[in-house]
C-alpha cells in the first residue's frame, strides 16, 4: 500500500511550521528541511547511490544527519544507522553484514573509519556529499509502506548482532499508534536527546514529520540543556531513559515543570520504584513504555493516570498492537511469568538475511521478544527482565532488575548493576556493582546485605559487592551487563 | 492486515471512559457499550445471522442503533445502513441489490416495512432482537482491515443507487487521517447529530472508538439541544452541514462559544461565502471539508487558520490522501477546472457488484469523483460543482436522474427533467419540468406528488412542477440542464 511521501506531504501541508529546532535556537521549517533533503538526495545520486542500495550512516545527532536520513526516502534506499559508540570491528561487521554499498560519516569520525575495509570510492563524509554536484531526479510523491527504510543492528543472546529491518509502514504505524495513545496537540514539541541511530531517537523524527510538529534536536546529552528547553521553550514531550530522568529531577530541584510539559516518555529498561514515586510526588508526567528496535520503539505504554495505581508496569499494548505471555507454546494466565510476545503493524517483518533467527523469532505474526514478564488481571504488562540477563540459581529464577531496584532504594546507593556469575553449588549466583552516593568508603557491606535480606529471598541476595565509580552503559544509558561480567572476571583474577 | 478488534481494544484500554452520552445525560462507558454489543451479537447469532451475511439496518440515531452497528463487527457481517427518509420502494431496492439476508429495524418503522418483500422470518425490530436468547460465540480479538464493514447506497447519474463498500480499513484510516489533521485531545467530545446511516455520522462513531473519546449522540436534530451541549457540556467538535451551521449561528446570537469548542467540521456541499464570513467574525472555528460516501467522509479539509485567507476552499488532502484535477485523461495545472480525482486508504475499493461502474470510476487506484473543481497554486482545493447535476438539499444528496426516472414511469409523463434551484433554508431543492403524453392539462400536480411520495424520499420530491412542450436536448438527446435553469429563472421573473 502507498501513502503520500511523508516529507513531501508534510512540507506541502505545513511548509512554514518548524521541523527542527537546534539548541542554539536555529529553526528549520518543513519546507526548508524538504528542500535540503531533496538537494542532498540529488547529490547522493550524483555519487552513484541508487534505489534499493543500503547505505551505512555513521553520525551523532545533527541537522546534517536528519537531512541525510530524509534524503534516503527520496532515493528509496535503506539506511543502516551505525551506533557511534561501537568499535571499528563492530562497524565493519554491520557494514558487511548488510551488504552496504556506501558509507556516509560525520566529519568528526574521519580518523575512526580509516581502518575500515570500505572502498574509499564509496566512502563520503556528510560535508563531502554537500560539496558534490546535484543530479536532478524524479521526486517521488508516494511511499510504499512495505519498503524497507531502516536497518538497525541489535545484539541477541548469540552475541552476533542482527539487522532489524523496519519498513516505512512500521515507522508510520508506530507514529500513528503513539498519537492514538498520547494524543496530538497543535502546540506539541518533542525533545530528542536520544541518539537518532537508535530507534528511540529516530522515531521522534518520523513522528515529527507525520504529525507536523517540531523536534528540538539535542546534538549531545546535556541535562542542563534539556532542563532549559523544558522550562523555557514550550517542550511538551521528552523521550528519556531512567538515568536521564533521575538527572533531570536533580536539575529540577524544588521547581516544577510548566503544565504544557505533558509527557515524559520513559523507555529503555527497568525503572526503580523510588524514582517513579518521586515523579508522582513532583507531578512529573511519566509515561513508562516498553519497546525495542524490533517494534519501531514503544509498543506498550503506561499512561500518566495509570502510573498512580500501576506503579512499575509498562502499561497496555498500543491501539494497533497486541501483547501476550507464553511459556512452552502456551498462553499464560494473568500474573504468571513467561515470555513476552508482541504483534502489530509496527513490528519488524524480520532480521536482514537471518532465516534461522526469523524462524525462531516469529510465530503466526507474533514476535518472541525474549523478554520475561507478566500481565496482571487488568492486562497491564510488567516486564520482569530481559531474558538474556536471567540468572538461574539453584533452580530458582533470579531477575537482576529486581535486585538493582532494591539496592537503589538506599540513599547511599547512586547506581547498581547486578549480574549472575557461575557458582559450583548453585549454578549461578548474583553479584552486585555499586556506585556510592556521597563520600566513598561510607558503605558497609553488611548493611547492604541486611537491607536486601529484609526485602528479598535469600537466594536473590548478591553474593559479592564491588564498589565502582561508574557503571558501563551504552548510548541510550542502558546497563551493559556483559561488560559487568568482564569486570567480575578481572576482579577475580 | 489485522489490527485488534477496535471496540474490544478500546474497552480494554479505556473501560470507564464515556463512549456515548445521550441528550438526557445518560452515559454509557466503553466497557458497557462493548458488553451490550457482544450481547446483541450473541442474540443476532441466535437468530441465525452468520459471518459474511449482509444485514440491512433501518434506524434513526439511537443507542440501540449504535449497539447494533458495533454488534456486526463481532459477527463479521456487513451492514447496509438504510436512509430512514427513503421510500419503501427505495429500501426494497437496496435490500435486494445488496442481497441482504436480514432486515433489522427500529420499532417505530414497524408499519413502514410491512409492505416490503422480505421474509418475516428474517425481519426483526431491534427490540425483538433484544428479547431473543443469547448464543455464546467466540469473541474476535482482531479485525481484518480488508473486510467489508458497511455498504452505504449512493445514487449516481444513472439513477440507480450503488452500494459503496467500505472496509474496516477504510473507516480506520479515515479516523487516523482526521486525527493527524485535527489533532487528538484527551478531553475531546464529538457531537453527532448527523444520521449514523450516512457516512458523516457513522464516521464519528468509528473515531470515538479509535480515539477513546465520547460521542454526544443526538437522536434527532435540534438546534437548541446542540447549542446547549456546546455551551454546557464541553463539546470540542461538531460535524455539521450548512443549514445546521446557519441555524446554530442564529441560536448563538450575541454569545460566543466556549474556547474548548475547537472545531465545527462543515461538510455536505457548497457553503455560501457570507456564512463563512459571519463565522470568521464570530470566531466560530469552521473547518470546511470535502468528502463523500466513497471516501469514508472527509478526504480534504481546510484548517481554521487557512479559512481566513482561503475562504471558500475545501482545503488540502489529508495526510494519507491525494487529490488531483484531470480533464480528458490529463492532469491539469493550478487554477484550471476539471474533474476532481482522489486516492487514499480511506477510499472505497468499489461498488457492490457493479463491475462496469467500478471500471469507469477507478484508474490506477484513483477514484473519479465526478465533481468539478480546481487546485490553486498553493494546492488548495476549490469545489466548483458537485457531481454533475447533483442537488444538495439540507446535506442530503439528490440526483436528478433518479427523480426523472421515477416521473417517467407514469404513462402520462412523456419526458421529465429535474434541476436544483436555490433555497434559503435547504441550500437547494429540486424542481421538475414535465412533457405530458396525450392531451394537455390532463396532468394533476397532486397526482404527480403522490406518485413520487410512494417511491422517493420526501426531500427528493420536486417542490415545483413546470409543464412544457419539449425539453432542451442536444443532438445526442442529452438533457441540457443548464438550459432548464435558465427556464426556471424566466418562470420566476
Amino acid at each position: 500500500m502507498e501513502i503520500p511521501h511523508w516529507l513531501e506531504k508534510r512540507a506541502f501541508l505545513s511548509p512554514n511550521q518548524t521541523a527542527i529546532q537546534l539548541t542554539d535556537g536555529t529553526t528549520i521549517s518543513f519546507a526548508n528541511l524538504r528542500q535540503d533533503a531533496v538537494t542532498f538526495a540529488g547529490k547522493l545520486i550524483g555519487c552513484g547511490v541508487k534505489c534499493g542500495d543500503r547505505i551505512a550512516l555513521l553520525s551523532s545527532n545533527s541537522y546534517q544527519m536528519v537531512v541525510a536520513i530524509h534524503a534516503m526516502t527520496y532515493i528509496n534506499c535503506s539506511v543502516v544507522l551505525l551506533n557511534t559508540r561501537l568499535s571499528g570491528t563492530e562497524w565493519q561487521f554491520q557494514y558487511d553484514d548488510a551488504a552496504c554499498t556506501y558509507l556516509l560519516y560525520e566529519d568528526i569520525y574521519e580518523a575512526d573509519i580509516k581502518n575500515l575495509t570500505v572502498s574509499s570510492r564509496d566512502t563520503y563524509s556528510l560535508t563531502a556529499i554537500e560539496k558534490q554536484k546535484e543530479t536532478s531526479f524524479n521526486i517521488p510523491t508516494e511511499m510504499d509502506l512495505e519498503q524497507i527504510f531502516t536497518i538497525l543492528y541489535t545484539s541477541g543472546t548469540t552475541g552476533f548482532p542482527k539487522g532489524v529491518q523496519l519498513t516505512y509502514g512500521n515507522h508510520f504505524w508506530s507514529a500513528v499508534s503513539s498519537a492514538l495513545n498520547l494524543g496530538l496537540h497543535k502546540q506539541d514539541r518533542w525533545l530528542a536527546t536520544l541518539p537518532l541511530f537508535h530507534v528511540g531517537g529516530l522515531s521522534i523524527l518520523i513522528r515529527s514529520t507525520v504529525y507536523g510538529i517540531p523536534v528540538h534536536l539535542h546534538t549531545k546529552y546535556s541535562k542542563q540543556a534539556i532542563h532549559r528547553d523544558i522550562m523555557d521553550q514550550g517542550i511538551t514531550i521528552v523521550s528519556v531513559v531512567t538515568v536521564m530522568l533521575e538527572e533531570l529531577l536533580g536539575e529540577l530541584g524544588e521547581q516544577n515543570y510548566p503544565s504544557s510539559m505533558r509527557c515524559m516518555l520513559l523507555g529503555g529498561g527497568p525503572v526503580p520504584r523510588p524514582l517513579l514515586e518521586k515523579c508522582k510526588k513532583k507531578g512529573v508526567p511519566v509515561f513508562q513504555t516498553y519497546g525495542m528496535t524490533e517494534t519501531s520503539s514503544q509498543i506498550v505504554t503506561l499512561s500518566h493516570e495509570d502510573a498512580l495505581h500501576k506503579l512499575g508496569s509498562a502499561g497496555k499494548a498500543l491501539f494497533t498492537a497486541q501483547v501476550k505471555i507464553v511459556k512452552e507454546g502456551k498462553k499464560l494466565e494473568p500474573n504468571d511469568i513467561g515470555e513476552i510476545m508482541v504483534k502489530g503493524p509496527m513490528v519488524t517483518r524480520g532480521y536482514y538475511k537471518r532465516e534461522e533467527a526469523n524462524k525462531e523469532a516469529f510465530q503466526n505474526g507474533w514476535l518472541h521478544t525474549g523478554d520475561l514478564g507478566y500481565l496482571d488481571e487488568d492486562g497491564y504488562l510488567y516486564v520482569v527482565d530481559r531474558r538474556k540477563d536471567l540468572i538461574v540459581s539453584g533452580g530458582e529464577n533470579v531477575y537482576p532488575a529486581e535486585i538493582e531496584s532494591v539496592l537503589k532504594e538506599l540513599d547511599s546507593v547512586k547506581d547498581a548493576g547486578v549480574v549472575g556469575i557461575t557458582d559450583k553449588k548453585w549454578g549461578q549466583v548474583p553479584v552486585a556493582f555499586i556506585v556510592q552516593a556521597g563520600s566513598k568508603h561510607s558503605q558497609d557491606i553488611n548493611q547492604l546485605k541486611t537491607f536486601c535480606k529484609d526485602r528479598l529471598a535469600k537466594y536473590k541476595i548478591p553474593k559479592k559487592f564491588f564498589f565502582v565509580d561508574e557503571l558501563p552503559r551504552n548510548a541510550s544509558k542502558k546497563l551493559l551487563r556483559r561488560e559487568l561480567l568482564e569486570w567480575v572476571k578481572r576482579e577475580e583474577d
Side-chain angles (χ1 to χ4, degrees), chain A residues 270 336-338 340 371-374 381-387 390 397-402:
Chain A
D336 285 348
I337 295 175
I340 300 169
D371 294 336
L372 295 176
Y374 65 92
L381 176 69
Y382 290 77
V383 181
V384 174
D385 211 341
R386 303 264 162 168
R387 173 174 275 188
L390 180 64
N397 288 348
V398 179
Y399 305 106
E402 186 186 0

Side-chain angles (χ1 to χ4, degrees), chain A residues 269-322:
Chain A
V271 188
R273 235 160 206 282
L275 177 62
L276 292 174
E277 274 157 2
K278 207 165 156 190
C279 286
K280 186 172 148 179
K281 219 189 284 174
K282 290 284 297 174
V284 175
V286 170
F287 288 68
Q288 221 183 315
T289 83
Y290 168 71
M292 62 208 79
T293 306
E294 287 88 337
T295 62
S296 311
S297 78
Q298 31 157 353
I299 186 164
V300 175
T301 302
L302 185 73
S303 73
H304 179 44
E305 293 73 27
D306 286 340
L308 305 178
H309 61 281
K310 294 287 183 183
L311 210 71
S313 166
K316 291 175 174 177
L318 297 181
F319 192 81
T320 61
Q322 299 173 72

Side-chain angles (χ1 to χ4, degrees), chain A residues 112-132:
Chain A
D112 299 294
I113 61 128
K114 275 282 182 322
N115 296 325
L116 299 190
T117 319
V118 176
S119 152
S120 64
R121 199 178 47 83
D122 306 330
T123 309
Y124 295 91
S125 74
L126 294 177
T127 305
I129 297 285
E130 287 172 353
K131 288 180 184 156
Q132 297 289 314

Side-chain angles (χ1 to χ4, degrees), chain A residues 283-430:
Chain A
V284 175
V286 170
F287 288 68
Q288 221 183 315
T289 83
Y290 168 71
M292 62 208 79
T293 306
E294 287 88 337
T295 62
S296 311
S297 78
Q298 31 157 353
I299 186 164
V300 175
T301 302
L302 185 73
S303 73
H304 179 44
E305 293 73 27
D306 286 340
L308 305 178
H309 61 281
K310 294 287 183 183
L311 210 71
S313 166
K316 291 175 174 177
L318 297 181
F319 192 81
T320 61
Q322 299 173 72
V323 57
K324 65 180 179 183
I325 307 294
V326 294
K327 197 171 188 173
E328 288 155 15
K330 267 197 247 167
K331 198 175 152 180
L332 297 184
E333 293 299 303
N335 297 313
D336 285 348
I337 295 175
E339 187 184 4
I340 300 169
M341 293 189 76
V342 293
K343 181 178 176 181
M346 69 288 277
V347 176
T348 177
R349 309 295 154 81
Y351 303 103
Y352 183 70
K353 285 193 183 161
R354 289 286 199 285
E355 298 262 325
E356 209 48 49
N358 287 337
K359 239 183 257 168
E360 275 173 35
F362 294 94
Q363 204 163 48
N364 300 326
W366 289 84
L367 170 73
H368 286 274
T369 65
D371 294 336
L372 295 176
Y374 65 92
L375 296 167
D376 71 8
E377 44 290 304
D378 300 322
Y380 287 79
L381 176 69
Y382 290 77
V383 181
V384 174
D385 211 341
R386 303 264 162 168
R387 173 174 275 188
K388 62 183 173 203
D389 303 320
L390 180 64
I391 303 165
V392 183
S393 188
E396 293 282 357
N397 288 348
V398 179
Y399 305 106
E402 186 186 0
I403 303 168
E404 288 160 5
S405 173
V406 164
L407 288 168
K408 285 188 207 166
E409 285 179 34
L410 273 169
D411 285 342
S412 57
V413 173
K414 191 176 158 197
D415 204 352
V418 171
V419 284
I421 60 167
T422 312
D423 182 82
K424 263 188 194 162
K425 187 168 180 187
W426 305 109
Q428 280 184 299
V429 290

